[in-house]
Amino acid sequence: EPEVTQTPSHQVTQMGQEVILRCVPISNHLYFYWYRQILGQKVEFLVSFYNNEISEKSEIFDDQFSVERPDGSNFTLKIRSTKLEDSAMYFCASKPGQGPNQPQHFGDGTRLSIL
Amino acid sequence: AQSVTQPDIHITVSEGASLELRCNYSYGATPYLFWYVQSPGQGLQLLLKYFSGDTLVQGIKGFEAEFKRSQSSFNLRKPSVHWSDAAEYFCAVGLGSAAGNKLTFGGGTRVLVKP
């Protein structure tokens, strides 16, 4: 069964540095998402992306965050100047089409640790 | 705004015993409801989903869930738990908007299985 793949599985970065988290969604999917889960807290929506633009973003997704689909397969989340509170597990998800009845498929996540 | 509550943070159950995980949602329109499971170090795997129709839905791994509109609940059940069911379980609601169709998650219930 096709999977969403995320790399790296664990990223350690100094505070203030830029980090790029990478995701390869399932190939025929059109909608892409990033979520994060701070240790011990809920999974939180960050951003959704469709047709090469952001369709919705949460208040967490401020100017330090950006997303990009640089080619036909990758979907990236960039954090420009990381803070300690950005430490979390970041999940990428994708789904084939419009409509909330189509479930999102999640990757295994990238654990981001900011020192 | 929509919200999802999972009242039980931890549940311990003996192998072979039945399991029920509670989920309550708050959402003005017809909800699209999901249960995901997260095994240690893994991503979120979809167990089952409810959109409409039969209020008892079957999922993978022997799980089922029942939608009760009058109680705003979508509880997950399994008649006989296996040791491999030890994981964290998340209930989620999907919005019906045409935008991002983001998921809102509950806080999760961690299930421990005793031999």
Side-chain angles (χ1 to χ4, degrees):
Chain A
E1 185 177 327
E3 292 182 340
V4 175
T5 57
Q6 291 185 242
T7 55
S9 56
H10 191 190
Q11 173 81 44
V12 181
T13 302
Q14 292 287 330
M15 185 173 59
Q17 297 295 305
E18 175 182 287
V19 66
I20 297 176
L21 309 183
R22 302 181 191 278
C23 170
V24 179
I26 296 173
S27 65
N28 63 342
H29 285 192
L30 301 177
Y31 290 78
F32 314 113
Y33 305 82
W34 284 102
Y35 293 81
R36 80 172 185 190
Q37 184 183 27
I38 295 172
L39 188 64
Q41 298 186 23
K42 290 186 179 187
V43 178
E44 303 172 288
F45 167 77
L46 291 178
V47 66
S48 58
F49 190 87
Y50 169 69
N51 201 24
N52 279 322
E53 59 183 27
I54 291 173
S55 47
E56 189 174 1
K57 60 183 181 180
S58 71
E59 57 188 31
I60 302 168
F61 195 88
D62 61 22
D63 291 345
Q64 70 164 336
F65 291 92
S66 61
V67 289
E68 191 178 31
R69 189 154 162 81
D71 52 42
S73 59
N74 290 281
F75 178 52
T76 61
L77 174 69
K78 182 193 290 187
I79 309 175
R80 245 179 295 281
S81 177
T82 50
K83 307 181 192 123
L84 293 176
E85 54 264 36
D86 294 327
S87 296
M89 180 74 91
Y90 288 80
F91 292 106
C92 174
S94 69
K95 66 173 187 161
Q98 188 176 336
N101 58 339
Q102 300 199 33
Q104 296 176 24
H105 297 257
F106 285 79
D108 284 347
T110 293
R111 181 168 299 284
L112 178 62
S113 299
I114 308 299
L115 304 180
Chain B
Q2 73 287 351
S3 66
V4 180
T5 302
Q6 294 179 245
D8 304 304
I9 298 173
H10 292 102
I11 285 183
T12 300
V13 61
S14 297
E15 193 168 14
S18 64
L19 174 69
E20 181 166 11
L21 305 182
R22 296 184 289 163
C23 172
N24 295 97
Y25 66 90
S26 171
Y27 183 51
T30 300
Y32 299 86
L33 296 160
F34 306 85
W35 275 99
Y36 285 87
V37 60
Q38 184 181 29
S39 298
Q42 303 293 310
L44 297 163
Q45 182 183 22
L46 179 70
L47 281 175
L48 46 77
K49 56 188 185 285
Y50 171 78
F51 307 126
S52 63
D54 193 347
T55 55
L56 184 64
V57 293
Q58 301 297 320
I60 63 171
K61 304 186 179 188
F63 284 92
E64 66 179 26
E66 186 171 12
F67 171 63
K68 293 185 177 179
R69 184 184 300 275
S70 61
Q71 298 177 18
S72 297
S73 69
F74 187 57
N75 294 349
L76 181 72
R77 298 193 294 253
K78 184 168 183 177
S80 177
V81 166
H82 187 261
W83 64 266
S84 59
D85 294 321
E88 188 151 22
Y89 293 79
F90 293 93
C91 182
V93 61
L95 287 187
S97 72
N101 300 144
K102 67 181 183 186
L103 293 176
T104 297
F105 285 87
T109 298
R110 186 170 298 279
V111 173
L112 303 174
V113 180
K114 293 190 301 186

